[in-house]
């Protein structure tokens, strides 16, 4: 299945069950939202999960691009991405969690033709405030899907406060051998779909208060589902990364982890720029700046003459088309080259300054503050100069 086929199958399945297609939101959150980027499909729906009536009704479905800076250090393995697409469905005070799981199982088996024996589930086992999720446990046992009870990893929230609740995660076996073990004991079980029962609001003191209405929020990673259905070994083998992989392989012959990181950061940077973000020293602009600098650091390790100006148009246009963005490729290239020139200049200025500080001994907090406040050298850049990775 292609990404378009996967998306169409998912959306059509839920529309047949009374869900209305929700327009996709930008990665950039409104000014009154303290979070920099859309991190999940439910993020724009927070007021409606808390009880406000949604103008499109109580059953919704959509495809939403998301960005998670918390996954930056995980990028390079076979499944994690900075920017990804999330297929989501919602019940806003309508049907319950067990119904959502039954539909989910039906879609995986009948819609995506995934073998029953390749499925495994995990369910919240309870804690000092909330008991075990017996409803989900009974559904999986009824369907004959192996299920594992866990702790806080099956409790979902979008931050320290706000809507939250127990979830049931669905895993698919990706190994070359018959399935074995559990998601908690064997990494070849890959999570593809999370069904969250949004029942509570968590306050700053940790107290849980029941929401005005119980909701169901599901999220399926499109790139991961494509990996499952194509039979590949990583999300980087999918259609969304083909042009980037070919381009980066042409620039150098990197190890697999470096190849993945460069492809992820370049693709993510394009999507962030496509949603109107420009490099700055704070906020979301600094996230973009970090993505570009991490890319350049990796490309320059064995050849400092490499330039983002060497990149062809194909991966840029492919990504912009995929995410339905209208940024001019020449403008995008000019922005990247300007950041590259800034970074080269910063490194030229920073090396002697850091060396001078190191001559007095290991860097302390006072040195970091001096280098940042006086010379504009951020901590991660200083650390790269200290360790020799820059």
């Amino acid at each position: 299945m292609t990404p378009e086929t996967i998306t169409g199958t998912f959306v059509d399945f839920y529309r047949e069950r009374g869900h209305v297609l929700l327009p996709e939101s930008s990665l950039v959150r409104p000014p009154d939202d303290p979070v920099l980027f859309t991190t999940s499909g439910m993020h724009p729906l927070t007021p409606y999960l808390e009880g406000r009536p949604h103008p499109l009704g109580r059953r919704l479905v959509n495809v939403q691009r998301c960005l998670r800076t918390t996954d930056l250090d995980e990028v390079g393995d076979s499944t994690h991405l900075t920017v990804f697409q999330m297929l989501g469905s919602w019940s806003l005070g309508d049907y319950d969690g067990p119904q959502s799981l039954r539909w989910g199982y039906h879609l995986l088996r009948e819609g995506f033709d995934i073998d029953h024996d390749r499925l495994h589930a995990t369910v919240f086992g309870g804690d000092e405030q909330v008991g075990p999720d017996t409803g989900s446990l009974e559904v999986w046992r009824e369907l004959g899907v192996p299920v594992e009870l866990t702790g806080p990893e099956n409790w979902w929230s979008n931050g320290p406060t706000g809507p939250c609740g127990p979830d049931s995660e669905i895993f698919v076996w990706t190994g070359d051998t018959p399935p074995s073990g559990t998601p908690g004991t064997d990494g070849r079980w890959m999570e593809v779909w999370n069904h969250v029962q949004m029942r509570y609001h968590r306050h700053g003191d940790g107290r849980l208060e029941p929401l005005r209405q119980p909701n169901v929020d599901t999220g399926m990673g499109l790139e991961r589902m494509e990996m499952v259905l194509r039979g590949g070994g990583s999300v980087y083998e999918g259609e969304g990364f083909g042009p980037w992989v070919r381009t980066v392989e042409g620039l150098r012959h990197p190890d697999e982890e470096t190849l993945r990181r460069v492809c992820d950061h370049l693709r993510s940077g394009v999507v962030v720029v496509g949603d109107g973000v420009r490099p700055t020293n704070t906020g979301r602009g600094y996230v973009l700046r970090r993505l570009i600098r991490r890319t350049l650091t990796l490309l320059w390790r064995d050849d400092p003459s490499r330039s983002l100006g060497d990149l062809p148009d194909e991966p840029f246009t492919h990504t912009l088309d995929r995410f339905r963005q209208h940024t001019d490729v020449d403008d995008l290239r000019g922005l990247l080259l300007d950041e590259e020139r800034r970074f080269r200049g910063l490194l030229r200025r920073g090396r002697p300054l850091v060396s001078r500080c190191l001559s007095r001994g290991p860097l302390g907090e006072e040195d970091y503050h001096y280098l940042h406040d006086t010379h504009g050298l951020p901590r991660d850049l200083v650390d790269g100069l200290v360790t020799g990775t820059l």
Side-chain angles (χ1 to χ4, degrees), residues 120-125 137 145-150 154 171 182-185:
H120 205 300
T122 60
V123 168
F124 182 64
L137 188 63
V145 175
V147 59
E148 180 180 19
L149 282 171
T150 74
N154 274 100
F171 293 76
T182 69
T185 63

Side-chain angles (χ1 to χ4, degrees), residues 20 28 34 60-61 108 210 224 236 258 264 289 295 300 316 321:
V20 177
V28 178
L60 305 173
V61 62
L108 292 173
R224 289 191 181 188
Y236 296 90
T258 299
D264 169 88
R289 179 159 282 168
T295 299
W300 289 343
F316 292 108
D321 289 345

Side-chain angles (χ1 to χ4, degrees), residues 124 154-157 162-167 196-200:
F124 182 64
N154 274 100
W155 183 273
W156 200 94
S157 62
C164 59
D167 66 52
V196 184
Q197 298 181 62
M198 291 285 187
R199 301 176 185 168
Y200 304 97

